Amino acid sequence: MIPKRVMGVETEYGLTTATTTGAPSSLTPEDAAQRLFKRIVEWGRSTNTFLTNGSRLYLDVGAHPEFASAECDSIADLVAMDRAGDLIFQSMVDEANRRLEAEDMPERIHLIKNNVDSAGNSFGCHENYLIRRRRDFRARVDSLVPFFITRQALTGAGHIRKQPGGAVYEISQRADQMWDAISSASTRSRPIVNTRDEPHGDIEKYRRMHVIVGDSNMSQTSTALKFATTEMLLVMIEDGVIMPDLKLQDPMRSIREISHDVSLKTTVELENGRMRTALQIQREFAEAAHNHYDRQGYFADLDDTRSAMVTLWIEALDRLEEGDLDSLSTKLDWIAKHNILERYRTKGGLSWDDPRLTRLEFAYHDLSPAAGLATSMEKQGLLESVVTEEAVHHAIDNPPATTRAALRGRFVKAASEARRDFMVDWMNLRLLEADGARTVILKDPFSPVDERVDELLEQV
């Protein structure tokens, strides 16, 4: 039986404003952010709050709105929660824009789910995986670096990269922003895996693997594939399997070279001197994972979403090696976006430097149902969905039922409705009363039931 695993995604959104008149906007990013969070501040008295679905909503450094999903032990729940975060923020945008219109202001706020702004500043999409505490953590994570570097061939979001010789289209938005393979820093060196030890659980049993190399995905399939493939390798590690020896001679050079070649034919050098393409490296990891699951009988334990993604891992590599990108255009972000941009570019005889292509690229990531390209494509079936629209809307107000998030969500809902003062973080539920605080510490991320929380809710 495959052990349960808790996972989560943190998404930083780009915030921009435009005017209905075409004139420059007078709203600074900070002003726009405060308007965006006005309802949240009125409700929770802060720009940092936990919601009834167990997730965290807050304003990060640099006026970046951020959504950190509740703990999920299913890929389907995680995809639904990620998309619910988009809809929650878009509802905040809609409300802020209605207020701007009521004040006769021409500015309108847009949230962009991407990783690079027009000035070249980068903001992230972080993946969190709870893993068992091991003494050889660093060595095990180090063995996954080649996987994360080459995974962009499947899960990149695509990007128009400006350069002195002319702009070009590349596979990943984050590839050119990474400066280290593994580090405890998160912004200074911007590593692929951040090793800061914050398990948000029993520190004797768990630690968190914090992956910050991935792109923000609009495609539900890309999001699901990103987490499902990584989870397979973590299962192997915790089963004691040694990863394929694919360490790269120069990881940071490799991640850039792979991203810059949309043909995926570029080879990178391994430490042992061998030359391999990104697809060849991915295939070695994929085949090792599939062989292990087959030997252990794990395929019988997979739910429908996981089963579809582990099958797609091999099938996508086959299609990419054959050069059949069109067959993946409804699944993988970088291909879907490239097709749109390339058709527009060819029809208009444009170069990749043309600002109209840049605007079209941003439109792909715009959360607005009116202006957002990917959102529109999903509704038309041009981007495949992994979860139903009903599941997404359910996740807006409800936490996953099978993890600790269920307890947090129940407490936030009850305390909010009762107008009680409370404080919440990933591990602590705190009811504030005149004679002090009543606190319950939730060390087990896997448990959706706790008698102490039931007692706390009775007090509420």
Side-chain angles (χ1 to χ4, degrees):
M1 178 69 71
I2 303 176
K4 288 175 62 177
R5 183 175 311 283
V6 165
M7 299 169 285
V9 60
E10 303 168 57
T11 303
E12 298 176 8
Y13 297 85
L15 186 154
T16 187
T17 59
T19 64
T20 56
T21 62
S25 173
S26 63
L27 279 183
T28 67
E30 290 74 18
D31 291 337
Q34 291 304 316
R35 284 180 171 274
L36 181 68
F37 275 79
K38 182 176 177 61
R39 170 162 52 99
I40 299 300
V41 172
E42 290 172 350
W43 175 67
R45 289 176 290 185
S46 173
T47 57
N48 180 359
T49 189
F50 280 83
L51 306 176
T52 59
N53 70 358
S55 300
R56 182 186 176 204
L57 192 74
Y58 58 109
L59 188 61
D60 205 358
V61 176
H64 283 296
E66 182 161 349
F67 179 81
S69 77
E71 303 92 327
C72 302
D73 62 6
S74 101
I75 302 294
D77 279 350
L78 190 144
V79 172
M81 190 63 60
D82 178 57
R83 184 72 182 117
D86 296 346
L87 296 185
I88 290 168
F89 265 123
Q90 185 56 42
S91 71
M92 293 163 59
V93 169
D94 293 341
E95 183 172 331
N97 284 337
R98 284 194 294 270
R99 291 180 179 180
L100 286 167
E101 186 175 7
E103 295 172 28
D104 292 326
M105 294 182 67
E107 285 82 6
R108 297 296 180 267
I109 297 170
H110 293 263
L111 280 187
I112 312 297
K113 190 180 182 182
N114 71 340
N115 303 108
V116 184
D117 65 17
S118 58
N121 301 307
S122 181
F123 34 97
C125 176
H126 300 175
E127 305 152 52
N128 294 304
Y129 302 88
L130 194 72
I131 60 177
R132 302 288 173 179
R133 186 166 291 277
R134 299 175 57 113
R135 292 181 180 178
D136 60 351
F137 170 77
R138 177 63 186 249
R140 293 293 186 169
V141 171
D142 193 51
S143 70
L144 292 177
V145 168
F147 164 74
F148 289 125
I149 284 175
T150 57
R151 188 185 64 173
Q152 60 180 298
L154 299 169
T155 62
H159 178 51
I160 299 176
R161 178 169 61 95
K162 310 293 185 182
Q163 56 180 3
V168 294
Y169 188 83
E170 65 179 24
I171 295 170
S172 168
Q173 298 182 13
R174 288 287 276 176
D176 287 307
Q177 310 296 331
M178 310 312 294
W179 296 102
D180 205 349
I182 301 173
S183 170
S184 61
S186 59
T187 55
R188 185 180 66 255
S189 65
R190 199 172 282 151
I192 289 169
V193 178
N194 171 254
T195 58
R196 189 171 62 236
D197 195 358
E198 294 178 332
H200 296 313
D202 189 336
I203 198 168
E204 299 296 324
K205 295 181 179 179
Y206 310 116
R207 70 176 298 156
R208 177 176 59 140
M209 188 174 77
H210 191 52
V211 180
I212 64 178
V213 70
D215 289 357
S216 295
N217 291 116
M218 297 301 294
S219 163
Q220 292 186 17
T221 306
S222 290
T223 298
L225 192 60
K226 179 166 59 181
F227 279 88
T229 55
T230 305
E231 183 188 34
M232 284 188 80
L233 297 183
L234 293 179
V235 168
M236 290 176 65
I237 284 177
E238 295 194 339
D239 283 353
V241 177
I242 303 300
M243 289 291 108
D245 182 13
L246 296 165
K247 289 185 180 179
L248 296 160
Q249 181 65 34
D250 188 337
M252 294 303 99
R253 178 178 178 180
S254 296
I255 196 172
R256 287 160 173 74
E257 289 180 344
I258 290 168
S259 180
H260 297 171
D261 178 22
V262 294
S263 76
L264 293 169
K265 296 185 184 302
T266 290
T267 58
V268 293
E269 185 178 2
L270 307 187
E271 278 189 354
N272 58 20
R274 292 185 298 163
M275 303 297 292
R276 291 289 184 271
T277 66
L279 298 179
Q280 288 171 334
I281 291 172
Q282 275 292 303
R283 188 173 292 279
E284 288 200 42
F285 278 112
E287 289 180 349
H290 276 72
N291 289 339
H292 180 67
Y293 269 49
D294 190 41
R295 287 193 300 269
Q296 299 298 118
Y298 287 160
F299 284 118
D301 299 335
L302 297 179
D303 57 44
D304 290 345
T305 304
R306 283 182 168 96
S307 181
M309 291 305 110
V310 301
T311 299
L312 178 60
W313 193 4
I314 297 291
E315 290 180 350
L317 293 174
D318 290 340
R319 300 292 83 77
L320 291 170
E321 286 181 342
E322 294 164 3
D324 181 14
L325 273 61
D326 285 343
S327 66
L328 299 171
S329 63
T330 60
K331 296 179 173 69
L332 305 188
D333 266 321
W334 76 268
I335 296 175
K337 188 165 78 173
H338 180 264
N339 283 358
I340 293 171
L341 294 176
E342 182 61 18
R343 284 197 297 270
Y344 188 79
R345 189 181 75 86
T346 302
K347 183 178 180 180
L350 310 177
S351 72
W352 283 108
D353 291 289
D354 196 290
R356 285 171 288 183
L357 286 174
T358 301
R359 288 196 293 270
L360 191 61
E361 177 183 18
F362 280 117
Y364 183 85
H365 299 274
D366 196 324
L367 295 185
S368 166
L373 267 182
T375 302
S376 175
M377 290 169 65
E378 186 177 290
K379 289 184 181 299
Q380 298 175 53
L382 300 176
L383 273 181
E384 294 181 15
S385 297
V386 172
V387 296
T388 64
E389 191 172 338
E390 291 75 18
V392 172
H393 283 276
H394 179 78
I396 290 174
D397 297 308
N398 299 281
T402 52
T403 71
R404 175 177 62 190
L407 298 171
R408 185 186 308 114
R410 285 175 59 203
F411 177 72
V412 171
K413 186 175 189 296
S416 299
E417 290 178 348
R419 299 184 181 278
R420 299 293 299 274
D421 290 332
F422 67 96
M423 295 178 66
V424 171
D425 60 31
W426 295 109
M427 287 183 61
N428 295 280
L429 309 180
R430 186 171 292 116
L431 182 64
L432 305 179
E433 299 188 305
D435 59 347
R438 302 181 187 276
T439 302
V440 173
I441 302 174
L442 305 174
K443 285 191 174 183
D444 185 359
F446 298 96
S447 178
V449 295
D450 192 310
E451 291 181 357
R452 298 170 304 154
V453 176
D454 294 337
E455 295 172 1
L456 190 65
L457 290 173
E458 287 182 9
Q459 294 174 14
V460 170

